[in-house]
Amino acid sequence: RKREEEEKELQQQEANKGAYQKKLEEQRQRELEAAAGMTLARGIEDEQMEQRRMAVIREGDPMAMLAWKKQQEEQHTSQTLSSNASHVPRKPVYKGPQPKPNRYGIRPGYRWDGTDRGNGFEDQVLEALHSKGRKKEEAYKWSSADM
């Protein structure tokens, strides 16, 4: 009787798992089986360990952004190639008319209705930045015009 209850409980636990959890468990099981055949001391010649070590993105790494982009591209291509890949929902993007530029280059949210409710400060800041650069360029042209 206990054995039947235990089997029933195991079946219930198995039924509660989703496809992704089952896939992860199978992958972990394959890794454990592969690790059982490996030697205890591993070195640089172990390609899987080396790839895992190199895939980690560390803080302060000057090439971290490039590595992150590379990982994202690999994940994207692997998701598009596999037909049964789970679709990761992406955040919606604003699709209205082109907004006015701002100092930080922040795109508007997808719920924005396109109405500028600012007090004009952003426009003044951008105008000052652009006019300063334009004045410098004009001054340089005037100074080098005789040469």
Side-chain angles (χ1 to χ4, degrees):
R1 186 177 168 141
K2 275 187 175 180
R3 189 174 183 184
E4 290 175 6
E5 289 177 10
E6 288 176 4
E7 285 181 20
K8 203 174 199 180
E9 188 176 317
L10 285 173
Q11 287 176 350
Q12 183 65 30
Q13 286 178 351
E14 193 67 30
N16 285 342
K17 290 182 181 176
Y20 185 72
Q21 284 81 6
K22 288 178 184 176
K23 179 181 160 188
L24 286 177
E25 192 173 311
E26 289 174 8
Q27 183 179 359
R28 199 182 92 218
Q29 191 67 30
R30 284 193 301 259
E31 286 178 3
L32 287 174
E33 288 172 3
M38 292 182 188
T39 60
L40 190 60
R42 296 187 289 171
I44 294 177
E45 59 274 351
D46 185 3
E47 292 180 20
Q48 283 184 333
M49 185 177 77
E50 193 66 18
Q51 285 176 350
R52 248 186 265 128
R53 188 182 66 78
M54 290 174 67
V56 175
I57 298 174
R58 294 173 181 81
E59 187 178 341
D61 184 4
M63 297 295 284
M65 189 54 118
L66 181 67
W68 180 78
K69 284 181 182 177
K70 189 175 181 182
Q71 278 184 355
Q72 295 299 320
E73 288 174 5
E74 287 174 3
Q75 286 178 357
H76 180 68
T77 55
S78 67
Q79 281 182 355
T80 54
L81 291 178
S82 62
S83 60
N84 60 354
S86 62
H87 176 68
V88 178
R90 299 201 183 259
K91 290 185 179 179
V93 180
Y94 172 70
K95 294 178 181 166
Q98 183 67 26
K100 291 194 309 188
N102 57 45
R103 286 178 281 180
Y104 307 109
I106 299 172
R107 294 185 49 83
Y110 69 97
R111 290 188 177 102
W112 186 52
D113 60 356
T115 306
D116 182 20
R117 294 178 178 83
N119 60 4
F121 178 75
E122 196 74 25
D123 298 332
Q124 291 173 357
V125 169
L126 287 173
E127 179 60 35
L129 284 173
H130 293 301
S131 67
K132 184 185 277 188
R134 194 174 63 240
K135 285 179 184 177
K136 279 186 179 180
E137 189 177 325
E138 221 171 281
Y140 174 75
K141 285 181 180 178
W142 273 98
S143 68
S144 63
D146 295 336
M147 294 182 181

